[in-house]
Amino acid sequence: DGERIIFMYYKEIDSFPEDFLWGAASAAYQIEGAWNEDGKGPSIWDEFSKIEGKTFEGTNGEVAVDHYHRYKEDISYMKEMGLKAYRFSVAWSRVIPDGEGEINEKGLDFYENLVDELIKNGIEPVLTLYHWDMPQALQDKYGGWESREVIPAFEKYCEALFLRLRDKVKYWVTMNEQNVFTSLGYRWAAHPPAVTDLKRMYAANHVVNLANATAISLFHQLVPKGLIGPSYGYGPIYPLTADPSDVLAAENAEAFNNDWTLDVYCRGTYPKFVMKQLEHLGIAPQVTAEDSRLLTSATPDFLGINYYHGGTVQQNRIEKPENQSSTEKNFSKTDPYLMQPKEEQAMSPEVPMFNGIENPYLEKTKWGWEIDPVGFRVALRRIQSRYDLPVFVTENGLGAIDVLTEDKKIHDDYRIDYLNEHLVEMKKAIADGVEVIGYCAWSFTDLLSWLNGYKKRYGFVYVDRDEHDEKTLERIPKDSFYWYQQVIKENGENL
Ligand code: BG6
């Protein structure tokens, strides 16, 4: 009967592959601290976070959760948990302090020691090359990603890491959430370099694409046994209704938000529909024939996907003025997946294309992020059918306020529920035929949120500190730590 068929479909047909990479993730700026130790140069985040009013309660990463000095302790918790993979990022300015000159051996040593410690404990390292912390020197000298001059600098930095770690690290991530750091950096001025200019945003985005392809090409020459891909912040778009105009609006939004980046990564071409709109407005990036050759020649081995939530749209408010209504989504600029805030300038290419709106079916977190586990399955399915590459889920998690009890426990059942629901949907996506090679929850320990300090926590391991006080920095496993330990032990069998 029907129930039995459904049961078989999800519970009996598909188990997780034996070598599935159950992991957790982090990023250098958010955990390391030691911002100027052992020769590290300043990054754009070291500078930006010191500008008044830019981050929550003025938090910065000078100390963060002091992982630089406590990585062995952190890895001992990973081992206790049974983690199979750990995704971390390298701070470019630790390896090359001014971004393009001398290599700082001490910087490379730190990451090699970290990798050795992971391997010693049976944990597969997953190394992200760029998680938003451009060396400040490159920003000052060339204007950062707006200039093609940073491409050879990035290539040099990647080469140093490939050569040092190619026998030890198999999985490499190029760019973390290019869509997020370009839009928050160049459109909404919420991240460095705090620009609000669409033309500059599209120009910088193109340079990032070229740097990504350059790194992948070099990797394929130097690390033939490794696997590399970018991590994209993917949110599937839904139409609010079955009105064909809303459906078309969703197609438009999917093209602007997702195809715009992913088509370049996976096919080497920009989607024509979006490019045409940008050309009309005179804000399209300059793409040379040589650029196109590079972009089509360097394809990733897998696609990293960070999934938090998607978006819902309806027909644009020019053709349907009643859509300019109170139901319109109240966008927050600290949400990296925002699509089209209402105060957007008239020349925005998205305005005639779709109108972002609240989804009436979904609950939200305290920070207004929709909670949508089924959307995770939709995301994985869409990626599989459009690009047919193995997927590595490189981030997924719940930001919440955690309370440390007097007996030093954190009862984060809300996080367990969230992760459990997402893992169930991922398992269904695997049953649907999506090749998922691993899943890294965000995050392993608590860490510094770029714009939300330590109030918004994601970790399996609590870190005793807050915005105002570094406190003891003690590590305390949360209830979710033991829950995930069990999931890993059973290889997801009982999800
Ligand atoms: C992702 C980033 O966008 O979201 C992470 O890759 C980040 O670095 C995570 O921490 C959560 O964002 P937030 O704003 O809730 O801390």
Side-chain angles (χ1 to χ4, degrees):
D1 58 36
E3 250 177 59
R4 165 110 188 115
I5 291 170
I6 288 172
F7 179 79
M8 276 180 56
Y9 181 66
Y10 296 130
K11 293 282 181 188
E12 288 177 14
I13 299 177
D14 281 87
S15 295
F16 284 92
E18 269 312 304
D19 54 356
F20 190 77
L21 293 168
W22 295 101
S26 70
Y29 177 76
Q30 298 181 271
I31 59 167
E32 285 179 2
W35 77 290
N36 60 359
E37 277 181 47
D38 294 334
K40 179 180 171 292
S43 77
I44 52 174
W45 271 94
D46 291 322
E47 302 278 319
F48 178 78
S49 59
K50 284 169 200 147
I51 304 171
E52 221 187 297
K54 290 294 184 190
T55 64
F56 179 68
E57 315 236 326
T59 38
N60 66 53
E62 285 190 6
V63 174
V65 298
D66 197 32
H67 173 77
Y68 189 79
H69 300 114
R70 297 170 193 242
Y71 72 92
K72 288 194 178 168
E73 184 190 351
D74 289 341
I75 293 174
S76 75
Y77 283 111
M78 294 176 201
K79 188 186 164 115
E80 183 188 337
M81 187 188 230
L83 215 62
K84 306 273 191 224
Y86 172 58
R87 172 179 179 237
F88 62 95
S89 80
V90 172
W92 183 348
S93 65
R94 214 180 267 296
V95 173
I96 306 184
D98 69 357
E100 60 177 349
E102 289 287 299
I103 290 172
N104 174 31
E105 292 299 324
K106 282 193 176 162
L108 281 176
D109 290 346
F110 170 70
Y111 294 107
E112 186 165 19
N113 292 337
L114 175 75
V115 163
D116 286 342
E117 188 71 14
L118 288 168
I119 294 171
K120 197 170 96 192
N121 287 286
I123 301 159
E124 185 79 48
V126 180
L127 187 156
T128 303
L129 291 158
Y130 187 75
H131 202 126
W132 306 356
D133 45 358
M134 160 81 64
Q136 181 65 40
L138 295 179
Q139 190 64 44
D140 294 341
K141 193 165 168 195
Y142 301 122
W145 290 119
E146 286 181 76
S147 162
R148 288 173 183 245
E149 305 273 357
V150 297
I151 300 170
F154 185 64
E155 191 178 19
K156 177 176 178 179
Y157 156 69
C158 292
E159 184 183 33
L161 286 164
F162 294 160
L163 293 178
R164 178 68 87 95
L165 297 173
R166 63 180 161 188
D167 297 327
K168 299 180 176 182
V169 178
K170 179 173 175 193
Y171 297 94
W172 299 71
V173 171
T174 49
M175 301 291 168
N176 180 71
E177 295 189 352
Q178 171 172 346
N179 51 325
V180 172
F181 79 76
T182 54
S183 69
L184 291 190
Y186 296 88
R187 182 177 203 161
W188 305 116
H191 280 195
V195 169
T196 49
D197 185 315
L198 284 177
K199 189 168 183 175
R200 288 172 65 185
M201 177 185 83
Y202 286 116
N205 181 67
H206 182 59
V207 174
V208 179
N209 281 329
L210 298 174
N212 177 67
T214 303
I216 290 178
S217 241
L218 181 71
F219 182 85
H220 286 149
Q221 288 164 41
L222 297 180
V223 199
K225 287 195 199 127
L227 298 169
I228 194 164
S231 278
Y232 179 73
Y234 188 89
I237 310 293
Y238 306 134
L240 179 67
T241 71
D243 176 340
S245 301
D246 287 350
V247 175
L248 184 65
E251 295 279 326
N252 293 346
E254 190 74 34
F256 269 93
N257 286 281
N258 297 322
D259 306 348
W260 176 250
T261 311
L262 292 176
D263 281 10
V264 179
Y265 286 158
C266 304
R267 301 174 174 172
T269 53
Y270 285 102
K272 287 204 182 88
F273 160 69
V274 180
M275 198 50 131
K276 264 192 105 167
Q277 316 310 315
L278 304 190
E279 279 164 359
H280 282 316
L281 293 167
I283 55 176
Q286 296 297 317
V287 184
T288 67
E290 205 185 315
D291 293 348
S292 296
R293 267 195 300 279
L294 172 67
L295 295 175
T296 41
S297 70
T299 34
D301 303 309
F302 64 84
L303 205 51
I305 289 300
N306 295 353
Y307 176 78
Y308 291 91
H309 63 79
T312 302
V313 300
Q314 58 183 176
Q315 186 178 11
N316 72 77
R317 52 187 182 255
I318 298 171
E319 286 165 284
K320 234 189 186 180
E322 62 271 31
N323 282 353
Q324 176 91 52
S325 71
S326 56
T327 50
E328 198 161 316
K329 189 169 172 184
N330 183 19
F331 291 91
S332 134
K333 284 195 183 152
T334 66
D335 178 348
Y337 301 97
L338 49 70
M339 293 182 300
Q340 188 206 39
K342 33 179 150 178
E343 67 267 33
E344 172 66 302
Q345 324 83 311
M347 62 95 73
S348 159
E350 291 97 338
V351 168
M353 298 298 157
F354 60 87
N355 189 26
I357 192 161
E358 309 252 347
N359 188 312
Y361 300 97
L362 300 173
E363 301 280 311
K364 289 191 224 121
T365 71
K366 283 207 173 60
W367 279 266
W369 293 23
E370 286 165 354
I371 300 176
D372 181 13
V374 174
F376 189 23
R377 182 178 178 189
V378 174
L380 293 167
R381 289 269 298 273
R382 282 190 189 169
I383 287 159
Q384 168 82 26
S385 61
R386 195 168 170 97
Y387 303 108
D388 200 22
L389 279 172
V391 175
F392 198 153
V393 179
T394 41
E395 283 182 34
N396 170 236
L398 175 71
I401 297 170
D402 290 332
V403 181
L404 181 65
T405 61
E406 278 189 7
D407 59 347
K408 283 202 178 171
K409 301 250 182 315
I410 298 93
H411 299 304
D412 57 343
D413 43 302
Y414 38 90
R415 180 169 294 108
I416 295 174
D417 290 346
Y418 179 100
L419 293 172
N420 186 67
E421 286 170 15
H422 283 76
L423 289 180
V424 167
E425 294 303 323
M426 183 176 74
K427 194 175 186 183
K428 291 179 187 171
I430 292 173
D432 294 340
V434 183
E435 187 188 347
V436 185
I437 57 179
Y439 171 90
C440 288
W442 185 262
S443 51
F444 185 68
T445 61
D446 284 341
L447 41 72
L448 172 64
S449 168
W450 305 91
L451 300 176
N452 299 292
Y454 298 93
K455 201 169 174 199
K456 191 179 188 187
R457 292 174 185 262
Y458 283 88
F460 289 119
V461 177
Y462 186 86
V463 177
D464 182 33
R465 71 154 299 164
D466 62 24
E467 286 76 20
H468 313 288
D469 189 351
E470 280 161 30
K471 300 191 184 170
T472 63
L473 290 162
E474 186 185 346
R475 275 58 173 150
I476 304 164
K478 306 179 190 176
D479 288 357
S480 57
F481 178 98
Y482 299 104
W483 167 81
Y484 197 49
Q485 183 182 52
Q486 191 62 24
V487 171
I488 298 173
K489 201 165 146 202
E490 299 166 352
N491 198 30
E493 231 13 68
N494 294 315
L495 284 168

